[in-house]
Amino acid sequence: MAPPRTRCARALAGAFLFAAAAAAARADRLKLAAERPDGACPAESKLPGIARLDAPPPEGTTGAGCLLRVRLDALADADVDAAVDRLARVRGAAGLVLTLPDTDDAERFAYAVKRLSSIFRSGSPDGAVALEAARPPEPALEEALAAYVDALVVRPGTAAPAESALRTWVFTAPSASASPTVAALSALERSPQSTLAGVLAGDRPLTPGEVDTLTRLASYFTADTSRDPTATRISRRDGSKIAALRLFDAKKFTPVLLLPEDPAGAVSIELSGGPFQAASVENLASGARRDFDVKGAPTLTLDLSKGPLAVVLQPMAKK
């Protein structure tokens, strides 16, 4: 048997590793944000807003509940100073997206990122910083910016450089054929390395109802849920497939399927990873809930024509 001091050291080491793993899980927690119709930052919301900081706000402006977007078209001293003035007036923002112009001057680029990130974090110490640039930083530059940048912004369907150690955020917008919820789920599903999806207004502002739907969707992105790689087939009646986002709740031991609305209606969902006793379904558009008794069945049929659905699968009790 190991001496008491050794056992204590091992216990402390285990606790440290558990705490580190928990911190890493929180850092990689999936998040959702959406640009409000009025561009405002909601004071109390499970769905952070997205606001463009194009002009100096009043001193002491509270950015709680918002990701701020700051764009620079040049990196001259005057441009950087103007952005610093804007950011210095904000307190408690949830995050910052820095959109910077393309340049071959790595030293100037790094100076701008470090200065803007530092002034932002001085007023918003818990806020994350994401970098959107025409070209992802080279490995040496990324290493130099590691203490100032938390994530890289990627476009839907694209990936961060393979050698990048940074997390990624993806921004998308609704279209004539894709609602904000469809756009958000598609972006996260097609960019599996992303930890945040931001829904921008695009060609039209989001409606209050669409914001409510996204808020219900965001409620499933908790500190205990993470992406679940288990393959899940979802088929329309004509045999065509639709993509969905699958999560796993490590606290409740329940898979969570997030399905976009689909005008085709009924879909057959393969209940992989089972057997399951029940499926708790929420219509994210209306908030209506219903439980289905599946009793170990291999599939579940649901109607997606009335809105996107969240499906929580309850495992069968072990005998």
Side-chain angles (χ1 to χ4, degrees), residues 168-188:
T168 58
W169 294 359
V170 61
F171 285 82
T172 186
S175 65
S177 60
S179 71
T181 305
V182 168
L185 288 175
S186 176
L188 286 171

Side-chain angles (χ1 to χ4, degrees), residues 194-251:
S194 294
T195 58
L196 179 145
V199 182
L200 303 175
D203 295 332
R204 63 167 179 83
L206 276 63
T207 67
E210 289 170 337
V211 172
D212 289 343
T213 300
L214 289 172
T215 300
R216 295 188 185 98
L217 173 61
S219 70
Y220 289 89
F221 297 160
T222 71
D224 299 307
T225 58
S226 59
R227 291 178 184 268
D228 183 346
T230 303
T232 306
R233 293 186 180 182
I234 305 172
S235 307
R236 301 183 181 92
R237 287 176 176 171
D238 63 4
S240 60
K241 303 292 189 292
I242 69 170
L245 185 65
R246 181 169 177 142
L247 308 178
F248 183 76
D249 189 318
K251 185 176 182 179

Side-chain angles (χ1 to χ4, degrees), residues 74-96:
L75 298 179
D77 285 343
D79 300 282
V80 176
D81 289 345
V84 165
D85 181 51
R86 281 178 270 164
L87 289 170
R89 298 167 181 258
V90 178
R91 296 289 180 269
L96 170 67

Side-chain angles (χ1 to χ4, degrees), residues 7-319:
R7 292 199 302 272
C8 181
R10 288 175 179 172
L12 288 173
F16 173 78
L17 289 174
F18 178 82
R26 286 193 298 271
D28 291 336
R29 171 183 173 181
L30 281 176
K31 296 179 181 179
L32 193 63
E35 188 174 9
R36 298 300 197 273
D38 58 0
C41 296
E44 298 287 342
S45 178
K46 294 180 180 179
L47 181 70
I50 301 173
R52 302 170 192 270
L53 196 62
D54 296 328
E59 193 71 40
T61 294
T62 299
C66 244
L67 298 180
L68 301 177
R69 301 183 70 198
V70 172
R71 180 185 183 91
L72 276 73
D73 294 320
L75 298 179
D77 285 343
D79 300 282
V80 176
D81 289 345
V84 165
D85 181 51
R86 281 178 270 164
L87 289 170
R89 298 167 181 258
V90 178
R91 296 289 180 269
L96 170 67
V97 178
L98 283 176
T99 302
L100 301 184
D102 191 17
T103 179
D104 292 323
D105 191 340
E107 184 176 350
R108 188 67 189 176
F109 186 90
Y111 164 77
V113 172
K114 291 178 180 180
R115 190 167 176 214
L116 295 170
S117 175
S118 296
I119 196 65
F120 169 73
R121 286 177 171 167
S122 68
S124 305
D126 295 327
V129 178
L131 176 62
E132 183 176 27
R135 288 180 295 171
E138 296 293 331
L141 179 56
E142 180 181 306
E143 184 177 356
L145 297 176
Y148 301 88
V149 175
D150 300 291
L152 295 177
V153 174
V154 298
R155 294 300 176 186
T158 64
E163 65 275 12
S164 176
L166 295 172
R167 299 186 294 276
T168 58
W169 294 359
V170 61
F171 285 82
T172 186
S175 65
S177 60
S179 71
T181 305
V182 168
L185 288 175
S186 176
L188 286 171
E189 191 274 330
R190 294 169 59 192
S191 300
Q193 76 281 10
S194 294
T195 58
L196 179 145
V199 182
L200 303 175
D203 295 332
R204 63 167 179 83
L206 276 63
T207 67
E210 289 170 337
V211 172
D212 289 343
T213 300
L214 289 172
T215 300
R216 295 188 185 98
L217 173 61
S219 70
Y220 289 89
F221 297 160
T222 71
D224 299 307
T225 58
S226 59
R227 291 178 184 268
D228 183 346
T230 303
T232 306
R233 293 186 180 182
I234 305 172
S235 307
R236 301 183 181 92
R237 287 176 176 171
D238 63 4
S240 60
K241 303 292 189 292
I242 69 170
L245 185 65
R246 181 169 177 142
L247 308 178
F248 183 76
D249 189 318
K251 185 176 182 179
K252 299 177 181 177
F253 296 99
T254 54
V256 181
L257 306 179
L258 300 172
L259 305 130
E261 65 266 32
D262 191 298
V267 294
S268 176
I269 305 166
E270 179 184 70
L271 299 180
S272 52
F276 298 104
Q277 178 65 38
S280 299
V281 180
E282 180 183 11
N283 184 309
L284 298 174
S286 66
R289 296 173 181 267
R290 181 180 174 186
D291 290 337
F292 293 83
D293 191 349
V294 296
K295 294 182 178 178
T299 61
L300 171 66
T301 299
L302 293 174
D303 183 3
L304 297 182
S305 66
K306 305 301 182 182
L309 302 178
V311 182
V312 180
L313 300 174
Q314 310 291 344
M316 292 274 283
K318 294 183 179 180
K319 296 181 180 179

